[in-house]
Amino acid sequence: MSHQLNAPQREAVHYLDGPLLVLAGAGSGKTRVITQKIAFLIEECNVAPRHIAAITFTNKASKEMAERVGKLIRSRSTEGLTVSTFHALGAKILRQEARHLHLKPSFSILDASDTAQLFQEMLKNADKARGRMIQNRISLWKNALVGPEEAARIATDDLEAGAAQVYKEYDRTLRAYQAVDFDDLIRLPVELFQQDDGIAGRWRSRLWHLLVDEYQDTNRCQYRLLQLLTGPRAAFTAVGDDDQSIYAWRGADVENLRLLRDDYPTLKLIKLEQNYRSVQRVLKAANAVISHNPKLFEKKLWSEHGHGDAIRVTACRDGEHEAEWVISRLVAHKFEKRTNFADYAILYRGNYQAKAFEQQLRAHKIPYVLSGGQSFFDRSEIKDLTSYLRLLANQDDDPAFIRAVTTPKRGIGGTTLEALGLAAGRRHQSLFAAAFAPGVEHEVKPAQLAAVREFCQFINRMEGRALKEPAGQVLEDMLRAIGYEAWLLETLEPREAETKWGNVRDFVQWLTAKGGEVNKNLIELSQTIALISMLDKNEGEQDAVQLATLHAAKGLEFPHVFLVGIEEGVLPHRESVELGKVEEERRLMYVGITRAQRSLNVTWCERRKQGREILTREPSRFIAEMGEDVQHGGRGQEPVVSKDEGRAKLSQFRALLAGHK
């Protein structure tokens, strides 16, 4: 089994004498190490799959890893093996230990847009930017294991003091709704394990070995969960790369690598430096750029893939010219090398940069996919449907109640909900419970109250069926009963209504299949929806150019990469320069360079339009840091080539044309 591994990879797979950190450079086969180690534990060490957990950062990575392990282990069942995201593992712990946290097992998980709405209600008069800053501050506090009281104590300015007040109210509101947000899925298990060693011990005895992928992306809370789950035995394998830590803005803490070294004196360190992805020129440029960052651990990537094409840096006149040049270069390269569209990626620092490239791709009728676009679950029609499902599982979920009772419209508006909300507030009950509370008929108008109660009784009937009948059947009947398709056709343009109804049909089919696959009823399925991403569905299957932000491109690889907009103020980002956070921006550049397998083109603009202004730009400092083995061309010109090279190219091109006749 391990004959496909190089020496350091093999050592990492076989090492079981204590905590292990595998420092895995870009493209060095880290997923292979994790999957082979799971197979080694099960097949060679006879560890039952239920005692092993592999933690990833995305649903897609979990799915791929589980599939790879399944292919490796043919001789035994992998039933009981946990391969999941940190959040899904946290949700599993919370479901099983809910009563210890005064939660019912059917608590709701609120996603980013649900929580944004809650903050909007709590901060009625605040502008959106301030609201976002407060929400972000609270999220970072939760990730750093800081509660509302401590937040108030450590607040350094008015914004933080205000945020600490909101934090307290937000926490109370979540508890009233019997709901948790994404940060709570990790924070609450950590708090529980810290308070009750008996419960922590029970989970430790279940998990014999823990493997953590993308360790550099963990926040303080996730690191604490790792410690509490592994205990004094510290049987874990952490795989990560300090040079690819690019998520500080959402709480990831590269310090966790240093902490690992300090907290575990017996920590074994194994470096994976052989790169299986890129040609040497690409790696040389990546090594040169990242050498400008202070290093926690020294490592140098190398490869046996040959020298490769020259890296080209091209100065363009402006954003429009840059998009034209990149797409024409891409088309010519594809024609010359007879490649596929899917072999190309255009990567940029911010989503706003995509527009000019999209326009050019459309003009040339080139298929493309955009990464990091709107999630399937963020579509309004899917959120409408999931609000019903959340309500079936948890009647105290007020945000779900408000959305479901008003979609489709059924004569219940803001005034009714306000009156019901006041009645619920006085009784410390959810809106659903308040609808049936004694005396509520004096507080809400009779006709409106009758409509609310009719809706609640419908939910109760559906809940009864959802516990017993197949998920798909209940879902179909519910959609028919609320007349959702008819409502879409009445309220929207025909084409938009059809698109939305098509998405609903996809969702229903997917949930029906999922229910049969994992043998769960609709209530059980509804509790996991917030953790499941349908984005994994068909991504990467079509022959199309990939457009992505550098953050979204992490973990991906492409034969040919265009890094665009590599200018001071864009990458490194202006704010990062002002705040002295250039190191993380340099790691982003490193991630961008190391996506390329065979060829790399870097572009920057001499002028760029910003609003109504046209600003003069400078090439990014990272271009100079790539070293001297880089060809510079100006104004979208090809870098200068020798006459012989030029003749050879021309005759190649003629031969190609002759072959096409």
Side-chain angles (χ1 to χ4, degrees):
M1 179 182 71
S2 53
H3 63 273
Q4 312 146 312
L5 303 170
N6 63 35
Q9 287 174 333
R10 202 173 306 117
E11 188 186 4
V13 165
H14 293 162
Y15 186 81
L16 295 171
D17 295 337
L20 168 66
L21 171 61
V22 180
L23 209 65
S28 63
K30 69 184 175 64
T31 310
R32 184 189 293 174
V33 165
I34 295 173
T35 51
Q36 295 265 21
K37 188 155 192 170
I38 294 169
F40 176 72
L41 285 165
I42 294 170
E43 293 193 314
E44 309 285 324
C45 308
N46 291 314
V47 177
R50 68 174 186 281
H51 291 314
I52 303 167
I55 311 298
T56 65
F57 269 79
T58 65
N59 294 312
K60 195 174 172 203
S62 293
K63 202 172 143 196
E64 282 170 9
M65 196 173 284
E67 281 167 6
R68 281 170 76 163
V69 171
K71 282 178 191 152
L72 273 179
I73 305 174
R74 297 272 185 203
S75 58
R76 300 191 191 189
S77 160
T78 56
E79 201 182 331
L81 172 71
T82 298
V83 183
S84 75
T85 61
F86 262 112
H87 291 97
L89 178 65
K92 187 176 171 183
I93 295 168
L94 288 188
R95 294 260 172 256
Q96 292 181 27
E97 310 295 349
R99 62 192 177 87
H100 297 289
L101 287 154
H102 310 296
L103 283 170
K104 55 185 183 189
S106 59
F107 63 83
S108 297
I109 300 169
L110 302 190
D111 67 13
S113 57
D114 295 320
T115 51
Q117 217 158 352
L118 273 187
F119 278 103
Q120 230 173 326
E121 282 163 30
M122 287 189 295
L123 301 164
K124 283 191 172 66
N125 304 320
D127 64 275
K128 275 204 172 128
R130 186 178 167 84
R132 271 198 305 273
M133 279 159 75
I134 288 175
Q135 189 176 348
N136 190 39
R137 183 66 264 173
I138 291 170
S139 175
L140 291 173
W141 274 330
K142 284 189 173 193
N143 288 334
L145 287 171
V146 173
E149 279 74 26
E150 195 189 339
R153 210 170 46 248
I154 63 170
T156 54
D157 55 29
D158 287 351
L159 180 80
E160 287 197 348
Q165 283 298 107
V166 176
Y167 186 3
K168 204 171 180 177
E169 190 188 332
Y170 175 59
D171 225 30
R172 249 199 331 261
T173 308
L174 284 179
R175 292 198 172 277
Y177 291 169
Q178 283 285 299
V180 299
D181 63 18
F182 258 49
D183 299 323
D184 289 334
L185 290 174
I186 295 154
R187 180 180 73 115
L188 293 175
V190 165
E191 286 183 359
L192 179 65
F193 289 169
Q194 283 176 337
Q195 287 156 13
D196 193 323
D197 199 53
I199 295 172
R202 201 166 66 235
W203 281 87
R204 280 199 285 272
S205 65
R206 284 184 203 180
L207 292 177
W208 193 86
H209 200 94
L210 197 64
L211 301 103
V212 180
D213 190 15
E214 304 286 11
Y215 177 78
Q216 77 283 347
D217 292 340
T218 53
N219 58 42
R220 198 51 55 91
C221 205
Q222 287 159 335
Y223 175 53
R224 193 75 192 106
L225 186 61
L226 165 78
Q227 286 185 302
L228 290 161
L229 277 172
T230 53
R233 270 185 60 242
F236 65 78
T237 300
V239 182
D241 180 6
D242 50 339
D243 292 333
Q244 293 186 74
S245 177
I246 56 173
Y247 289 110
W249 49 277
R250 67 173 191 210
D253 195 344
V254 76
E255 267 299 294
N256 284 353
L257 281 159
R258 189 177 278 113
L259 278 178
L260 209 53
R261 204 175 50 183
D262 298 346
D263 293 344
Y264 296 95
T266 61
L267 181 75
K268 169 88 170 165
L269 175 69
I270 296 173
K271 297 178 189 179
L272 305 185
E273 295 170 298
Q274 182 175 357
N275 172 287
Y276 292 93
R277 175 188 298 159
S278 308
V279 291
Q280 287 169 21
R281 262 200 176 112
V282 166
L283 297 181
K284 193 177 167 190
N287 286 332
V289 167
I290 207 68
S291 69
H292 290 79
N293 270 1
K295 303 293 286 175
L296 194 55
F297 304 100
E298 278 301 331
K299 70 172 186 317
K300 273 257 189 302
L301 293 181
W302 60 276
S303 130
E304 292 176 342
H305 282 332
H307 215 50
D309 295 345
I311 294 171
R312 297 159 188 264
V313 175
T314 305
C316 300
R317 282 192 306 276
D318 52 33
E320 230 167 89
H321 178 224
E322 180 181 45
E324 279 168 23
W325 186 82
V326 166
I327 305 311
S328 63
R329 169 88 198 142
L330 188 155
V331 171
H333 189 274
K334 182 182 185 298
F335 180 71
E336 191 183 331
K337 306 284 185 190
R338 300 188 177 188
T339 51
N340 297 316
F341 284 122
D343 293 335
Y344 298 87
I346 300 170
L347 308 179
Y348 36 79
R349 175 67 175 84
N351 271 314
Y352 67 91
Q353 290 168 267
K355 196 178 163 194
F357 296 96
E358 283 193 78
Q359 285 168 344
Q360 281 297 320
L361 287 162
R362 280 202 298 268
H364 287 81
K365 298 191 169 42
I366 296 171
Y368 67 91
V369 283
L370 205 59
S371 246
Q374 189 194 35
S375 151
F376 188 84
F377 277 103
D378 287 339
R379 295 168 199 252
S380 63
E381 61 274 21
I382 303 303
K383 292 189 79 64
D384 290 343
L385 196 43
T386 51
S387 67
Y388 278 86
L389 301 184
R390 276 167 46 189
L391 205 51
L392 290 183
N394 171 18
Q395 295 176 350
D396 293 329
D397 186 340
D398 280 0
F401 178 89
I402 291 164
R403 186 163 193 138
V405 81
T406 54
T407 316
K409 299 275 179 280
R410 46 171 66 79
I412 298 163
T415 318
T416 307
L417 287 173
E418 200 174 334
L420 188 61
L422 289 169
R426 276 194 284 273
R427 292 168 176 78
H428 302 290
Q429 284 179 315
S430 67
L431 294 167
F432 197 106
F436 297 99
V440 76
E441 54 278 2
H442 305 305
E443 298 165 68
V444 183
K445 286 178 182 165
Q448 271 76 22
L449 185 61
V452 169
R453 282 179 173 170
E454 192 186 324
F455 169 77
C456 294
Q457 281 152 356
F458 165 70
I459 294 292
N460 282 333
R461 283 196 305 278
M462 281 294 162
E463 184 194 346
R465 288 185 55 192
L467 290 165
K468 300 190 289 280
E469 298 174 30
Q473 190 55 57
V474 181
L475 208 47
E476 294 285 8
D477 291 351
M478 190 176 79
L479 278 170
R480 213 170 299 119
I482 64 174
Y484 193 77
E485 184 184 14
W487 177 71
L488 286 176
L489 289 163
E490 274 167 34
T491 54
L492 300 169
E493 292 290 316
R495 185 177 278 177
E496 195 185 349
E498 274 167 38
T499 304
K500 285 182 181 289
W501 182 245
N503 288 334
V504 169
R505 296 301 325 148
D506 278 356
F507 184 58
V508 171
Q509 281 163 10
W510 175 75
L511 261 187
T512 305
K514 193 93 183 149
E517 221 175 88
V518 294
N519 196 20
K520 285 189 170 175
N521 65 37
L522 195 55
I523 304 259
E524 292 165 321
L525 283 174
S526 71
Q527 297 174 351
T528 57
I529 283 169
L531 293 170
I532 299 164
S533 163
M534 278 181 73
L535 284 178
D536 310 345
K537 227 171 39 167
N538 298 318
E539 243 183 37
E541 283 171 24
Q542 64 216 86
D543 183 26
V545 174
Q546 176 83 53
L547 264 64
T549 62
L550 288 164
H551 284 101
K554 187 161 158 287
L556 304 177
E557 53 186 51
F558 306 91
H560 310 289
V561 168
F562 290 88
L563 278 183
V564 300
I566 309 300
E567 299 144 26
E568 285 295 308
V570 179
L571 184 76
H573 194 273
R574 183 177 50 80
E575 278 177 32
S576 303
V577 176
E578 286 165 6
L579 296 169
K581 292 184 178 172
V582 173
E583 285 171 24
E584 177 142 342
E585 295 290 296
R586 188 174 282 112
R587 291 195 287 269
L588 260 184
M589 180 72 175
Y590 175 82
V591 165
I593 294 170
T594 53
R595 296 315 91 199
Q597 293 168 312
R598 293 204 282 282
S599 80
L600 177 65
N601 275 280
V602 178
T603 61
W604 66 279
C605 295
E606 294 171 341
R607 292 192 304 278
R608 197 176 280 279
K609 203 170 174 188
Q610 202 171 312
R612 291 183 177 182
E613 284 183 276
I614 292 176
L615 304 175
T616 307
R617 315 298 304 203
E618 294 289 325
S620 167
R621 64 193 75 183
F622 303 147
I623 290 177
E625 289 175 5
M626 286 165 77
E628 285 167 19
D629 191 13
V630 168
Q631 288 191 357
H632 290 265
R635 288 292 180 98
Q637 303 301 313
E638 287 296 317
V640 180
V641 291
S642 72
K643 271 186 184 167
D644 291 347
E645 249 184 299
R647 281 197 199 101
K649 271 231 160 115
L650 199 59
S651 59
Q652 265 178 0
F653 199 57
R654 282 193 185 123
L656 245 178
L657 284 172
H660 273 272
K661 281 177 185 170

